[in-house]
Amino acid sequence: MSATDPDRDRDRDRDPDPDPEPGSGLDPVENVVATIARSAAEIRQGLVGRRGKADEENPSGEVQAEADVWADELLADRLTSIDGVGQYASEERSEIIDGGDEQVYVAVDPLDGSSNLQSNNTMGTVFGIYEEPLPAPGTALVASGWILYGPITTMAYARDGSVTKYELTGGERTVVEEEITLPDDPLVYGFGGRVPHWHDEFRTYVREIESNPDHKLRYGGAMIGDVNQVLTYGGIFAYPALEDSPRGKLRLQFECNPIAYLIEAAGGRSSDGSQSILEVEPTDLHDRAPLHVGNAELIDRLEDALA
Ligand code: FBP
């Protein structure tokens, strides 16, 4: 069903609130997703007045925004109160919160693209639901997704090899597209990191992508906004290994794994430069990894270029 389906209003009316109260017999995975979807409007509203810098750093050494700390506490509070959530971990805190019931383990980037808060540009919330204690490889994911705070608030969610997109209004979640796969003809590209710090092989690959007249540049500074472009139009997003940062910038547990899981479920590919992101074995909760995701042919060519 495409977002331009005229029957969408009928669907909207038929199923106004697929999110029954948490704990109402939902399996823990659906309960986590329902709780994050329900919290999105509040997180979006809570950004107002929290755009300043907190005088704290996250475990990756980045100065946190007030909103980062606030959103993390809100999600930690709600997700650890769900039956079946064994652990809550976040990009914004060094320690894992143990929830006790060891069914699923939740890793969250409460606010992705928080450097966009000052300039009022797109941001997101990223989540990964693992079936193994954290840190865990992407192969232990059972579901993942993101909230995108764009002109409207949307959610993309992957489970059991299927990707669905929703529009979020207040606490309601409405299906707008199901069984999503990446369009065959890649259109957009976005590459992070400062160009002088790119490795030569990566720079050569980027020149090849840029010189294709069918391709358009789309880089907005928030991974979720840029990857949602790839999911919608096809293409490639990458935050590569850099000369001054061999493992790139993005965090394996909270950003790379959830994104890779969803893009692979949509028929695309992910890579750290030589293998699927999902195969990367973590050594620390806050490990970073070079992230490349998009249409399989573009990722195959990237791995050839970096080999
Ligand atoms: P946060 O999760 O801390 O916001 O960091 C991740 C991120 O903002 C990504 O969303 C984005 O792709 C990247 O960092 C932008 O990095 P840069 O400012 O180097 O382009």
Side-chain angles (χ1 to χ4, degrees), residues 98-147:
D98 279 310
D101 310 351
E102 294 156 350
Q103 292 180 54
V104 296
Y105 308 86
V106 182
V108 170
D109 177 359
L111 282 178
D112 169 65
S114 39
S115 60
N116 272 1
L117 201 45
Q118 279 304 323
S119 58
N120 190 26
N121 276 290
T122 57
M123 296 173 67
T125 291
V126 193
F127 61 92
I129 305 171
Y130 297 77
E131 60 186 359
E132 289 173 15
L134 303 170
T139 48
L141 280 167
V142 291
S144 79
W146 60 71
I147 305 281

Side-chain angles (χ1 to χ4, degrees), residues 26-307:
L26 272 185
D27 76 38
V29 174
E30 288 309 319
N31 220 334
V32 167
V33 176
T35 302
I36 293 174
R38 187 180 293 282
S39 305
E42 210 174 329
I43 292 175
R44 186 177 189 131
Q45 185 53 42
L47 300 177
V48 177
R50 292 190 176 89
R51 298 165 65 195
K53 291 290 179 208
D55 49 15
E56 297 165 44
E57 285 189 352
N58 68 17
S60 303
E62 295 157 344
V63 177
Q64 294 171 306
E66 291 167 83
D68 284 323
V69 178
W70 172 78
D72 178 41
E73 283 162 2
L74 180 148
L75 290 169
D77 188 40
R78 295 193 180 163
L79 298 177
T80 53
S81 62
I82 294 174
D83 297 345
V85 171
Q87 291 179 327
Y88 171 89
S90 145
E91 176 190 298
E92 301 304 338
R93 62 181 64 222
S94 44
E95 303 310 320
I96 295 173
I97 302 177
D98 279 310
D101 310 351
E102 294 156 350
Q103 292 180 54
V104 296
Y105 308 86
V106 182
V108 170
D109 177 359
L111 282 178
D112 169 65
S114 39
S115 60
N116 272 1
L117 201 45
Q118 279 304 323
S119 58
N120 190 26
N121 276 290
T122 57
M123 296 173 67
T125 291
V126 193
F127 61 92
I129 305 171
Y130 297 77
E131 60 186 359
E132 289 173 15
L134 303 170
T139 48
L141 280 167
V142 291
S144 79
W146 60 71
I147 305 281
L148 175 58
Y149 307 104
I152 64 171
T153 307
T154 56
M155 173 187 249
Y157 172 45
R159 189 179 186 185
D160 300 329
S162 169
V163 178
T164 308
K165 264 190 189 168
Y166 304 84
E167 286 179 0
L168 305 183
T169 47
E172 291 178 13
R173 181 170 39 138
T174 304
V175 176
V176 289
E177 205 171 340
E178 296 173 293
E179 305 300 335
I180 296 169
T181 55
L182 262 63
D184 293 338
D185 301 325
L187 177 65
V188 301
Y189 62 89
F191 301 116
R194 290 183 167 83
V195 175
H197 297 161
W198 286 351
H199 292 287
D200 292 346
E201 299 77 12
F202 182 73
R203 187 177 293 110
T204 306
Y205 172 80
V206 170
R207 295 287 169 267
E208 187 202 313
I209 297 289
E210 288 172 336
S211 60
N212 181 325
D214 298 335
H215 294 163
K216 287 182 178 179
L217 171 62
R218 289 289 182 274
Y219 188 80
M223 169 187 64
I224 291 305
D226 298 329
V227 172
N228 204 64
Q229 294 259 16
V230 170
L231 181 62
T232 308
Y233 300 114
I236 180 170
F237 169 83
Y239 204 106
L242 302 169
E243 284 170 351
D244 61 343
S245 181
R247 298 300 291 162
K249 174 182 184 177
L250 304 174
R251 279 53 60 136
L252 183 63
Q253 294 297 302
F254 313 106
E255 295 167 312
C256 304
N257 277 340
I259 298 296
Y261 182 87
L262 191 145
I263 292 295
E264 292 195 13
R269 273 205 63 205
S270 77
S271 179
D272 68 348
S274 59
Q275 62 177 343
S276 165
I277 287 282
L278 303 181
E279 303 296 335
V280 175
E281 276 303 324
T283 55
D284 179 86
L285 182 64
H286 295 279
D287 275 353
R288 300 176 193 264
L291 175 68
H292 314 83
V293 288
N295 288 72
E297 64 184 273
L298 296 184
I299 301 296
D300 293 347
R301 276 162 48 195
L302 171 106
E303 289 182 339
D304 293 346
L306 299 185

